[in-house]
Amino acid sequence: MGMNRVFLRKEVLSMDDHKTKKSGDKPDLAKEDLQQALTQLNVDPKKGLSDQEANKRLAQYGPNAITAKSEPLWLKFLKDFTGPIAYMIEAAAIVSAIINHWDDFVIIIVLLLFNACIELWQDRKASNVLAALKKGLAPNATVMRDGKFKTIPASKLVPGDIVKVRLGQIVPADLRFTGGDYVSIDQAALTGESLPVTKKIGDEAYSGSIVKQGEMTGVVIATGSNTFFGRTAKLVASAGGKSHAQEAMFKIGNFLIIVAVILALII
């Protein structure tokens, strides 16, 4: 499990590097100087955002939540029987039935069903892991709006919000700490680190990590699927997707099918 967490962390960091190179001049608020990051976010850490500005940013960035498209199980199951290679195998099963080779027909059908069940099981595992990750998100957050702290649903946080975290709370979004002495944060679920990490002003905290000691305020630099947690969840959600090797194999299979059809027509 620890190795999986380290692998996910490396994948997320490589996604960040690729994103930075692709976006070019877009500033990285996690690595930017703290004062410059506050300027980029256009927020005063002593006043926070106004409700009006927060609503405007909520419409721009969307809710601070992990959203994943879900399909009915029956639809996922049927999709495993589609595609050129699957159609050729199904055609072979039909031909076997027509010429009364029932032993071949049964073997082909059993193999098709077995493959579909394996694919469905893998998708189900990825969905369960994603659901478990979502349970680790903070339900509420203590945020400064118009110079006063109040409690709001964490899903309404936006980049630039000033939030307070303390002992026992879950970090509600990716933050850069702006005030306070220190906090000790357990981020093992995301990074695989075995011990809590001490954070000070300027340091980053990940959404979904847990405060073990201390109390600090921080500015939200990322929400929803743009957080470290959100990108990790994306990797988990895509675990049942086709790999590059599978895509290459499908292309080879399609090519061989076309060649076989052409040769059959020539013969």
PDB file of all heavy atoms in Angstrom, residues 20-43:
ATOM      1  N   THR A  20       2.826  22.345 -15.950  1.00  0.00           N
ATOM      2  CA  THR A  20       3.572  23.594 -15.884  1.00  0.00           C
ATOM      3  C   THR A  20       4.226  23.906 -17.218  1.00  0.00           C
ATOM      4  O   THR A  20       4.190  25.038 -17.695  1.00  0.00           O
ATOM      5  CB  THR A  20       4.649  23.510 -14.775  1.00  0.00           C
ATOM      6  OG1 THR A  20       4.000  23.230 -13.542  1.00  0.00           O
ATOM      7  CG2 THR A  20       5.410  24.815 -14.651  1.00  0.00           C
ATOM      8  N   LYS A  21       4.832  22.874 -17.840  1.00  0.00           N
ATOM      9  CA  LYS A  21       5.473  23.079 -19.131  1.00  0.00           C
ATOM     10  C   LYS A  21       4.448  23.452 -20.191  1.00  0.00           C
ATOM     11  O   LYS A  21       4.694  24.271 -21.060  1.00  0.00           O
ATOM     12  CB  LYS A  21       6.205  21.795 -19.561  1.00  0.00           C
ATOM     13  CG  LYS A  21       7.413  21.480 -18.683  1.00  0.00           C
ATOM     14  CD  LYS A  21       8.019  20.158 -19.080  1.00  0.00           C
ATOM     15  CE  LYS A  21       9.172  19.774 -18.159  1.00  0.00           C
ATOM     16  NZ  LYS A  21       9.730  18.442 -18.476  1.00  0.00           N
ATOM     17  N   LYS A  22       3.276  22.826 -20.126  1.00  0.00           N
ATOM     18  CA  LYS A  22       2.251  23.061 -21.122  1.00  0.00           C
ATOM     19  C   LYS A  22       1.649  24.454 -20.971  1.00  0.00           C
ATOM     20  O   LYS A  22       1.342  25.130 -21.933  1.00  0.00           O
ATOM     21  CB  LYS A  22       1.157  21.988 -20.985  1.00  0.00           C
ATOM     22  CG  LYS A  22       0.183  21.961 -22.129  1.00  0.00           C
ATOM     23  CD  LYS A  22      -0.775  20.797 -21.964  1.00  0.00           C
ATOM     24  CE  LYS A  22      -1.768  20.746 -23.112  1.00  0.00           C
ATOM     25  NZ  LYS A  22      -2.720  19.645 -22.969  1.00  0.00           N
ATOM     26  N   SER A  23       1.446  24.890 -19.714  1.00  0.00           N
ATOM     27  CA  SER A  23       0.803  26.176 -19.479  1.00  0.00           C
ATOM     28  C   SER A  23       1.769  27.340 -19.661  1.00  0.00           C
ATOM     29  O   SER A  23       1.358  28.472 -19.797  1.00  0.00           O
ATOM     30  CB  SER A  23       0.220  26.203 -18.056  1.00  0.00           C
ATOM     31  OG  SER A  23       1.231  26.005 -17.110  1.00  0.00           O
ATOM     32  N   GLY A  24       3.086  27.052 -19.644  1.00  0.00           N
ATOM     33  CA  GLY A  24       4.065  28.081 -19.928  1.00  0.00           C
ATOM     34  C   GLY A  24       4.177  29.098 -18.819  1.00  0.00           C
ATOM     35  O   GLY A  24       4.789  28.869 -17.787  1.00  0.00           O
ATOM     36  N   ASP A  25       3.572  30.288 -19.024  1.00  0.00           N
ATOM     37  CA  ASP A  25       3.766  31.387 -18.092  1.00  0.00           C
ATOM     38  C   ASP A  25       2.793  31.357 -16.919  1.00  0.00           C
ATOM     39  O   ASP A  25       2.785  32.284 -16.122  1.00  0.00           O
ATOM     40  CB  ASP A  25       3.619  32.727 -18.842  1.00  0.00           C
ATOM     41  CG  ASP A  25       2.273  32.857 -19.539  1.00  0.00           C
ATOM     42  OD1 ASP A  25       1.546  31.844 -19.597  1.00  0.00           O
ATOM     43  OD2 ASP A  25       1.950  33.940 -20.021  1.00  0.00           O
ATOM     44  N   LYS A  26       1.967  30.354 -16.796  1.00  0.00           N
ATOM     45  CA  LYS A  26       1.024  30.289 -15.685  1.00  0.00           C
ATOM     46  C   LYS A  26       1.783  30.047 -14.382  1.00  0.00           C
ATOM     47  O   LYS A  26       2.538  29.083 -14.261  1.00  0.00           O
ATOM     48  CB  LYS A  26       0.022  29.161 -15.915  1.00  0.00           C
ATOM     49  CG  LYS A  26      -1.091  29.143 -14.875  1.00  0.00           C
ATOM     50  CD  LYS A  26      -2.088  28.071 -15.200  1.00  0.00           C
ATOM     51  CE  LYS A  26      -3.204  28.017 -14.165  1.00  0.00           C
ATOM     52  NZ  LYS A  26      -4.174  26.951 -14.448  1.00  0.00           N
ATOM     53  N   PRO A  27       1.626  30.917 -13.364  1.00  0.00           N
ATOM     54  CA  PRO A  27       2.409  30.775 -12.132  1.00  0.00           C
ATOM     55  C   PRO A  27       1.990  29.548 -11.323  1.00  0.00           C
ATOM     56  O   PRO A  27       0.817  29.177 -11.293  1.00  0.00           O
ATOM     57  CB  PRO A  27       2.093  32.067 -11.371  1.00  0.00           C
ATOM     58  CG  PRO A  27       0.759  32.499 -11.879  1.00  0.00           C
ATOM     59  CD  PRO A  27       0.710  32.071 -13.318  1.00  0.00           C
ATOM     60  N   ASP A  28       2.967  28.921 -10.673  1.00  0.00           N
ATOM     61  CA  ASP A  28       2.709  27.796  -9.786  1.00  0.00           C
ATOM     62  C   ASP A  28       2.582  28.354  -8.374  1.00  0.00           C
ATOM     63  O   ASP A  28       3.588  28.706  -7.750  1.00  0.00           O
ATOM     64  CB  ASP A  28       3.856  26.799  -9.879  1.00  0.00           C
ATOM     65  CG  ASP A  28       3.577  25.534  -9.087  1.00  0.00           C
ATOM     66  OD1 ASP A  28       2.575  25.513  -8.344  1.00  0.00           O
ATOM     67  OD2 ASP A  28       4.359  24.573  -9.201  1.00  0.00           O
ATOM     68  N   LEU A  29       1.356  28.447  -7.879  1.00  0.00           N
ATOM     69  CA  LEU A  29       1.107  29.074  -6.586  1.00  0.00           C
ATOM     70  C   LEU A  29       1.711  28.290  -5.430  1.00  0.00           C
ATOM     71  O   LEU A  29       1.918  28.844  -4.355  1.00  0.00           O
ATOM     72  CB  LEU A  29      -0.405  29.243  -6.375  1.00  0.00           C
ATOM     73  CG  LEU A  29      -1.107  30.186  -7.360  1.00  0.00           C
ATOM     74  CD1 LEU A  29      -2.602  30.210  -7.103  1.00  0.00           C
ATOM     75  CD2 LEU A  29      -0.537  31.590  -7.275  1.00  0.00           C
ATOM     76  N   ALA A  30       2.008  27.010  -5.645  1.00  0.00           N
ATOM     77  CA  ALA A  30       2.612  26.207  -4.581  1.00  0.00           C
ATOM     78  C   ALA A  30       4.102  26.532  -4.411  1.00  0.00           C
ATOM     79  O   ALA A  30       4.648  26.370  -3.321  1.00  0.00           O
ATOM     80  CB  ALA A  30       2.430  24.721  -4.873  1.00  0.00           C
ATOM     81  N   LYS A  31       4.740  26.987  -5.483  1.00  0.00           N
ATOM     82  CA  LYS A  31       6.175  27.261  -5.434  1.00  0.00           C
ATOM     83  C   LYS A  31       6.484  28.754  -5.477  1.00  0.00           C
ATOM     84  O   LYS A  31       7.614  29.155  -5.214  1.00  0.00           O
ATOM     85  CB  LYS A  31       6.867  26.557  -6.603  1.00  0.00           C
ATOM     86  CG  LYS A  31       6.718  25.040  -6.571  1.00  0.00           C
ATOM     87  CD  LYS A  31       7.344  24.396  -7.786  1.00  0.00           C
ATOM     88  CE  LYS A  31       7.141  22.877  -7.765  1.00  0.00           C
ATOM     89  NZ  LYS A  31       7.692  22.235  -8.979  1.00  0.00           N
ATOM     90  N   GLU A  32       5.488  29.547  -5.827  1.00  0.00           N
ATOM     91  CA  GLU A  32       5.668  30.997  -5.902  1.00  0.00           C
ATOM     92  C   GLU A  32       5.975  31.567  -4.511  1.00  0.00           C
ATOM     93  O   GLU A  32       5.589  31.004  -3.491  1.00  0.00           O
ATOM     94  CB  GLU A  32       4.378  31.625  -6.445  1.00  0.00           C
ATOM     95  CG  GLU A  32       4.517  33.062  -6.902  1.00  0.00           C
ATOM     96  CD  GLU A  32       4.925  33.152  -8.350  1.00  0.00           C
ATOM     97  OE1 GLU A  32       4.973  32.122  -9.043  1.00  0.00           O
ATOM     98  OE2 GLU A  32       5.210  34.274  -8.779  1.00  0.00           O
ATOM     99  N   ASP A  33       6.677  32.703  -4.478  1.00  0.00           N
ATOM    100  CA  ASP A  33       6.861  33.423  -3.218  1.00  0.00           C
ATOM    101  C   ASP A  33       5.484  33.707  -2.616  1.00  0.00           C
ATOM    102  O   ASP A  33       4.541  34.047  -3.335  1.00  0.00           O
ATOM    103  CB  ASP A  33       7.602  34.741  -3.478  1.00  0.00           C
ATOM    104  CG  ASP A  33       7.755  35.573  -2.213  1.00  0.00           C
ATOM    105  OD1 ASP A  33       8.594  35.239  -1.382  1.00  0.00           O
ATOM    106  OD2 ASP A  33       6.986  36.560  -2.082  1.00  0.00           O
ATOM    107  N   LEU A  34       5.357  33.555  -1.290  1.00  0.00           N
ATOM    108  CA  LEU A  34       4.050  33.654  -0.639  1.00  0.00           C
ATOM    109  C   LEU A  34       3.362  34.991  -0.933  1.00  0.00           C
ATOM    110  O   LEU A  34       2.168  35.027  -1.245  1.00  0.00           O
ATOM    111  CB  LEU A  34       4.192  33.456   0.870  1.00  0.00           C
ATOM    112  CG  LEU A  34       2.900  33.545   1.686  1.00  0.00           C
ATOM    113  CD1 LEU A  34       1.880  32.517   1.205  1.00  0.00           C
ATOM    114  CD2 LEU A  34       3.182  33.353   3.164  1.00  0.00           C
ATOM    115  N   GLN A  35       4.110  36.090  -0.834  1.00  0.00           N
ATOM    116  CA  GLN A  35       3.504  37.400  -1.072  1.00  0.00           C
ATOM    117  C   GLN A  35       3.044  37.542  -2.519  1.00  0.00           C
ATOM    118  O   GLN A  35       1.974  38.099  -2.796  1.00  0.00           O
ATOM    119  CB  GLN A  35       4.515  38.516  -0.730  1.00  0.00           C
ATOM    120  CG  GLN A  35       3.892  39.906  -0.640  1.00  0.00           C
ATOM    121  CD  GLN A  35       2.738  39.974   0.351  1.00  0.00           C
ATOM    122  OE1 GLN A  35       2.849  39.520   1.490  1.00  0.00           O
ATOM    123  NE2 GLN A  35       1.607  40.515  -0.087  1.00  0.00           N
ATOM    124  N   GLN A  36       3.826  36.996  -3.445  1.00  0.00           N
ATOM    125  CA  GLN A  36       3.433  37.039  -4.850  1.00  0.00           C
ATOM    126  C   GLN A  36       2.204  36.165  -5.095  1.00  0.00           C
ATOM    127  O   GLN A  36       1.337  36.506  -5.912  1.00  0.00           O
ATOM    128  CB  GLN A  36       4.598  36.575  -5.726  1.00  0.00           C
ATOM    129  CG  GLN A  36       5.757  37.559  -5.765  1.00  0.00           C
ATOM    130  CD  GLN A  36       6.898  37.066  -6.640  1.00  0.00           C
ATOM    131  OE1 GLN A  36       6.858  35.952  -7.160  1.00  0.00           O
ATOM    132  NE2 GLN A  36       7.914  37.903  -6.803  1.00  0.00           N
ATOM    133  N   ALA A  37       2.131  35.030  -4.385  1.00  0.00           N
ATOM    134  CA  ALA A  37       0.960  34.159  -4.526  1.00  0.00           C
ATOM    135  C   ALA A  37      -0.295  34.874  -4.036  1.00  0.00           C
ATOM    136  O   ALA A  37      -1.356  34.791  -4.670  1.00  0.00           O
ATOM    137  CB  ALA A  37       1.171  32.868  -3.737  1.00  0.00           C
ATOM    138  N   LEU A  38      -0.191  35.601  -2.913  1.00  0.00           N
ATOM    139  CA  LEU A  38      -1.332  36.366  -2.402  1.00  0.00           C
ATOM    140  C   LEU A  38      -1.738  37.459  -3.389  1.00  0.00           C
ATOM    141  O   LEU A  38      -2.934  37.728  -3.584  1.00  0.00           O
ATOM    142  CB  LEU A  38      -0.984  36.979  -1.044  1.00  0.00           C
ATOM    143  CG  LEU A  38      -0.832  35.992   0.125  1.00  0.00           C
ATOM    144  CD1 LEU A  38      -0.226  36.687   1.338  1.00  0.00           C
ATOM    145  CD2 LEU A  38      -2.184  35.373   0.479  1.00  0.00           C
ATOM    146  N   THR A  39      -0.738  38.067  -4.025  1.00  0.00           N
ATOM    147  CA  THR A  39      -1.027  39.095  -5.036  1.00  0.00           C
ATOM    148  C   THR A  39      -1.728  38.477  -6.239  1.00  0.00           C
ATOM    149  O   THR A  39      -2.692  39.037  -6.768  1.00  0.00           O
ATOM    150  CB  THR A  39       0.276  39.785  -5.475  1.00  0.00           C
ATOM    151  OG1 THR A  39       0.925  40.358  -4.334  1.00  0.00           O
ATOM    152  CG2 THR A  39      -0.011  40.884  -6.493  1.00  0.00           C
ATOM    153  N   GLN A  40      -1.255  37.304  -6.673  1.00  0.00           N
ATOM    154  CA  GLN A  40      -1.879  36.610  -7.802  1.00  0.00           C
ATOM    155  C   GLN A  40      -3.338  36.254  -7.484  1.00  0.00           C
ATOM    156  O   GLN A  40      -4.214  36.347  -8.344  1.00  0.00           O
ATOM    157  CB  GLN A  40      -1.105  35.330  -8.134  1.00  0.00           C
ATOM    158  CG  GLN A  40       0.278  35.557  -8.725  1.00  0.00           C
ATOM    159  CD  GLN A  40       0.235  36.017 -10.167  1.00  0.00           C
ATOM    160  OE1 GLN A  40      -0.782  35.877 -10.841  1.00  0.00           O
ATOM    161  NE2 GLN A  40       1.340  36.583 -10.636  1.00  0.00           N
ATOM    162  N   LEU A  41      -3.581  35.873  -6.233  1.00  0.00           N
ATOM    163  CA  LEU A  41      -4.933  35.486  -5.815  1.00  0.00           C
ATOM    164  C   LEU A  41      -5.792  36.697  -5.457  1.00  0.00           C
ATOM    165  O   LEU A  41      -7.000  36.546  -5.210  1.00  0.00           O
ATOM    166  CB  LEU A  41      -4.857  34.538  -4.619  1.00  0.00           C
ATOM    167  CG  LEU A  41      -4.280  33.152  -4.924  1.00  0.00           C
ATOM    168  CD1 LEU A  41      -3.922  32.419  -3.643  1.00  0.00           C
ATOM    169  CD2 LEU A  41      -5.272  32.334  -5.745  1.00  0.00           C
ATOM    170  N   ASN A  42      -5.150  37.879  -5.405  1.00  0.00           N
ATOM    171  CA  ASN A  42      -5.862  39.134  -5.141  1.00  0.00           C
ATOM    172  C   ASN A  42      -6.662  39.066  -3.836  1.00  0.00           C
ATOM    173  O   ASN A  42      -7.880  39.251  -3.820  1.00  0.00           O
ATOM    174  CB  ASN A  42      -6.792  39.477  -6.313  1.00  0.00           C
ATOM    175  CG  ASN A  42      -7.318  40.903  -6.242  1.00  0.00           C
ATOM    176  OD1 ASN A  42      -6.710  41.767  -5.596  1.00  0.00           O
ATOM    177  ND2 ASN A  42      -8.447  41.149  -6.885  1.00  0.00           N
ATOM    178  N   VAL A  43      -5.940  38.781  -2.735  1.00  0.00           N
ATOM    179  CA  VAL A  43      -6.609  38.659  -1.444  1.00  0.00           C
ATOM    180  C   VAL A  43      -5.734  39.255  -0.350  1.00  0.00           C
ATOM    181  O   VAL A  43      -4.501  39.150  -0.396  1.00  0.00           O
ATOM    182  CB  VAL A  43      -6.926  37.177  -1.125  1.00  0.00           C
ATOM    183  CG1 VAL A  43      -5.660  36.342  -1.045  1.00  0.00           C
ATOM    184  CG2 VAL A  43      -7.734  37.059   0.154  1.00  0.00           C
TER     185      VAL A  43
END
